[in-house]
Amino acid sequence: MSNSAIVRIKDLNVQSGNTAILKNINVEIPRNKITVILGPSGCGKTTLLKSLNRLTDLQPHLKISGSIFIDDEDILQVTDGLTRIRQKMGLLSQKPYPLPMSIYKNIAFGLKIQGVSDKKIINDSVERYLAEVGLWDEVKDRLHSPASRLSIGQQQRLCLARGLAVHPEIILADEPTSALDPISSKKIEEKFIALRDDFTVIVVTHILRQAKRLADNVIFMYYGEIVEQGPPEQLFEHPVSPILKDYLNTGH
Amino acid sequence: MKKRSIEEQFFLWLMRFTTASIIMVLSGLLFVIFKKGYHAMSWAMISEEPQGGFYLGAGGGILNAILGSVYLSVGAIILAILVGLPVALAMNVHMVRYKIWVTVIRFLLDTLWGVPSIVYGAFAFGIMVYFHLRASLLAGIITVALLIVPIITRAFDEALRTIPNGLLETTYAIGGTRSEASFVIFFRQALPGLITAVLLALCRGIGDAASVLFTAGYTDHVPQRLTDPTATLPLAIFFQLSSPIPEVKERAYAATLVLTIIILVISILSRIAGRRFKKYVL
Ligand SMILES: Nc1ncnc2c1ncn2[C@@H]1O[C@H](COP(=O)(O)OP(=O)(O)O)[C@@H](O)[C@H]1O
Ligand SMILES: [Mg+2]
């Protein structure tokens, strides 16, 4: 790969009617690093994240222009093969959404979509990825009970395992700890740090301290624009723009 | 502190009282129907058509009404699903951006839900007279369908409304296609609600007398064609109960027993189905 950036966004604009949600986004996201997208709520972080795996398609009224290169392929131009692109990315949303089926099938579902039907491979994956997120010991005796009965923290970790099981390159996480208790939050954060070696992690947050704990690279957004981006030492110690200075002082 | 505990006690007893009265009414009802009807219950009662002089106490049964009611309500349910499901889907998927219209449709459906069934019967009868149509199974099916379309549409609507948007996004994010997404969403998340809605509407349809009074007619034979008139259980009960002959009156209770058992079975099925599918729902 010629470029160390896994995602390159060029002139991305997202509009709803006459209001611009994202304005002229130009950014590169480095491979095998944790990139934190930081900014006050309503500034377009979720929209930016959803553009990356074309979940914005589900809202046909959004007008999207520009390009998003992932592995040097412009995903906004792709017409079929959306499944392949989405499977490059695992998504964690603000609130965990396990599929309405058993814990086991939550992991198996993604594999089945990829065409894996070998029972043994599926069984192994279920164990491996549940163990990966520290859930195996907690659920190994009730793999076939509904995922809806897990606690919220467990559900979020199940969602992470489900994402990892389909071998993504990128983990997209939209305020993944905002609904969780401190201990589950900590487990998720630790997991992200461990995942950095093999994956690219993109985390949206509005919590400054979380950003400081996780970030290798920071994107600061305000009202649909990227105000500053760069390594955390630079943004947090030597902010340039008044908006970011203000944000760092007040914490929101 | 004192005031709180008095309040608590009051509502506790109120709850006990209402629960007890509901149970008493229901068991009283079942008891009376059973006591008055079981003498007349026999295999012939549920397996034979009425013979000549049935309404004067001669032999036969109410198979015509049982099958008539089943045909009628199943036909009406199918028709109502064909109308109601697309409307509910449109309200929740295609029209999400026209909130005003969805609100208006909901209001209209709720109003229709409250319209007494005799009004539907009179409305359908008026149309039939205008076109010189005879009472028939088909006319009954259409009338009952009109009656339950608002019920089934609103119940479907409620079931679909509770589907979280995030679940749809998640399914796509895993790489699911449209059909996999709808499998997950509709057949797992919304199905319990849809099944309950269908069975609820079925109960309403099978037990309604007023809407079929003028439209389905009445006959001693099991209908063979859609254009045949048909008997129904509620009307069979009505006609026999108005008879002065004690044996016939007793049969009315037997017919009531049959109808109650059918409705009870449907309700229990809907409970089981709900529980069977609900455990996975978020
Ligand atoms: N589907 C949509 N249609 C119209 N406006 C939207 C849509 N999604 C988000 N917005 C608007 O775009 C802005 C950014 O939203 P979002 O990306 O969710 O921000 P954040 O995640 O940073 O809180 C908000 O003002 C929001 O109201
Ligand atoms: Mg957001």
Side-chain angles (χ1 to χ4, degrees):
Chain A
M1 214 46 45
S2 57
N3 201 320
S4 72
I6 187 166
V7 180
R8 290 181 291 128
I9 303 178
K10 288 224 160 71
D11 301 322
L12 179 69
N13 280 280
V14 176
Q15 280 193 314
S16 162
N18 290 326
T19 42
I21 300 178
L22 294 178
K23 300 171 220 164
N24 286 321
I25 301 291
N26 280 289
V27 71
E28 298 200 343
I29 291 172
R31 200 181 285 274
N32 292 9
K33 295 247 157 64
I34 300 181
T35 294
V36 169
I37 303 175
L38 185 67
S41 50
C43 70
K45 306 182 295 293
T46 298
T47 309
L48 178 57
L49 206 67
K50 282 185 185 166
S51 311
L52 293 182
N53 66 352
R54 294 266 300 261
L55 278 182
T56 40
D57 287 15
L58 297 184
Q59 265 118 25
H61 62 287
L62 296 180
K63 286 200 291 288
I64 301 168
S65 62
S67 0
I68 299 175
F69 293 96
I70 294 181
D71 289 332
D72 296 318
E73 175 183 22
D74 186 354
I75 61 148
L76 294 183
Q77 303 302 326
V78 168
T79 44
D80 51 52
L82 215 51
T83 295
R84 175 179 53 81
I85 287 169
R86 287 193 177 131
Q87 287 196 335
K88 281 187 182 181
M89 288 166 261
L91 177 75
L92 277 188
S93 42
Q94 218 162 334
K95 182 177 173 294
Y97 283 106
L99 301 172
M101 38 184 89
S102 70
I103 296 171
Y104 179 92
K105 283 189 180 154
N106 257 276
I107 310 254
F109 188 75
L111 294 169
K112 291 225 172 94
I113 285 177
Q114 286 191 332
V116 180
S117 56
D118 187 331
K119 204 101 201 151
K120 174 136 177 29
I121 297 180
I122 294 179
N123 283 340
D124 289 349
S125 294
V126 169
E127 174 166 358
R128 176 165 162 219
Y129 290 102
L130 285 177
E132 184 106 342
V133 298
L135 207 54
W136 176 251
D137 289 329
E138 291 164 51
V139 303
K140 63 171 183 256
D141 301 322
R142 47 176 171 145
L143 286 177
H144 297 283
S145 76
S148 54
R149 291 203 192 129
L150 296 173
S151 76
I152 298 289
Q154 290 174 322
Q155 287 184 9
Q156 190 66 299
R157 281 183 284 146
L158 177 66
C159 291
L160 181 58
R162 178 183 66 194
L164 294 177
V166 293
H167 307 293
E169 297 174 29
I170 307 174
I171 308 288
L172 306 175
D174 189 359
E175 306 190 14
T177 61
S178 64
L180 306 191
D181 58 282
I183 292 176
S184 302
S185 303
K186 191 151 174 274
K187 282 189 184 165
I188 294 270
E189 283 187 18
E190 281 166 359
K191 200 66 232 163
F192 282 164
I193 291 172
L195 288 173
R196 169 166 50 182
D197 298 333
D198 303 309
F199 301 89
T200 304
V201 182
I202 305 176
V203 190
V204 163
T205 185
H206 63 261
I207 308 165
L208 190 54
R209 270 176 298 158
Q210 187 172 50
K212 286 182 176 166
R213 284 195 296 269
L214 292 176
D216 299 317
N217 179 44
V218 184
I219 297 171
F220 178 70
M221 293 182 67
Y222 198 78
Y223 277 113
E225 285 176 288
I226 294 186
V227 178
E228 270 185 62
Q229 52 178 306
E233 311 82 57
Q234 181 193 322
L235 261 80
F236 294 144
E237 307 306 328
H238 310 287
V240 181
S241 62
I243 301 169
L244 178 55
K245 277 182 189 156
D246 201 42
Y247 185 85
L248 292 175
N249 281 331
T250 58
H252 54 76
Chain B
M1 213 52 226
K2 187 95 180 138
K3 187 162 160 264
R4 273 246 330 253
S5 94
I6 291 174
E7 227 175 79
E8 241 167 52
Q9 285 295 314
F10 174 76
F11 282 106
L12 190 64
W13 280 102
L14 189 68
M15 196 186 73
R16 284 180 186 157
F17 175 74
T18 43
T19 311
S21 29
I22 291 169
I23 292 173
M24 267 162 58
V25 168
L26 182 65
S27 48
L29 198 103
L30 290 175
F31 178 74
V32 170
I33 295 171
F34 190 76
K35 183 161 172 282
K36 295 201 169 183
Y38 90 101
H39 283 299
M41 261 323 243
S42 64
W43 182 241
M45 188 72 186
I46 55 171
S47 66
E48 285 177 24
E49 292 182 354
Q51 291 168 7
F54 179 73
Y55 300 99
L56 299 169
I62 51 164
L63 182 68
N64 59 329
I66 296 175
L67 283 184
S69 269
V70 170
Y71 290 169
L72 196 98
S73 50
V74 169
I77 273 288
I78 292 172
L79 206 57
I81 292 173
L82 290 180
V83 177
L85 195 56
V87 173
L89 278 174
M91 286 165 69
N92 286 283
V93 181
H94 303 283
M95 294 177 63
V96 278
R97 282 159 61 208
Y98 309 102
K99 287 229 160 56
I100 296 267
W101 284 108
V102 174
T103 311
V104 168
I105 295 174
R106 277 199 186 114
F107 174 75
L108 291 177
L109 289 172
D110 286 344
T111 311
L112 285 176
W113 186 323
V115 170
S117 53
I118 188 80
V119 177
Y120 288 97
F123 170 70
F125 184 62
I127 292 178
M128 284 161 58
V129 169
Y130 187 81
F131 288 105
H132 304 288
L133 297 172
R134 278 190 324 123
S136 66
L137 177 59
L138 183 63
I141 285 179
I142 293 174
T143 314
V144 174
L146 286 178
L147 173 75
I148 59 184
V149 156
I151 300 174
I152 218 163
T153 310
R154 277 293 277 127
F156 280 176
D157 176 38
E158 287 300 325
L160 295 178
R161 247 171 123 177
T162 56
I163 294 176
N165 200 27
L167 186 58
L168 189 63
E169 289 182 352
T170 297
T171 314
Y172 282 115
I174 299 170
T177 58
R178 207 172 276 262
S179 56
E180 279 147 354
S182 40
F183 168 76
V184 166
I185 305 291
F186 290 108
F187 287 93
R188 292 216 166 229
Q189 185 79 2
L191 196 62
L194 301 186
I195 290 176
T196 311
V198 167
L199 295 176
L200 184 81
L202 192 60
C203 283
R204 175 83 200 262
I206 208 166
D208 195 74
S211 59
V212 293
L213 189 56
F214 311 117
T215 55
Y218 199 85
T219 160
D220 284 350
H221 302 291
V222 174
Q224 305 296 322
R225 270 169 250 96
L226 280 171
T227 48
D228 289 349
T230 181
T232 50
L233 275 170
L235 291 188
I237 295 165
F238 176 69
F239 290 140
Q240 296 179 91
L241 206 56
S242 354
S243 159
I245 304 164
E247 292 86 53
V248 178
K249 256 203 169 95
E250 212 167 59
R251 280 185 193 152
Y253 283 101
T256 313
L257 194 57
V258 170
L259 180 58
T260 312
I261 289 172
I262 292 177
I263 289 181
L264 219 56
V265 167
I266 297 174
S267 307
I268 291 170
L269 279 183
S270 89
R271 277 279 143 162
I272 294 173
R275 194 164 296 177
R276 169 84 181 74
F277 291 106
K278 205 163 201 131
K279 60 180 181 182
Y280 293 111
V281 170
L282 293 183

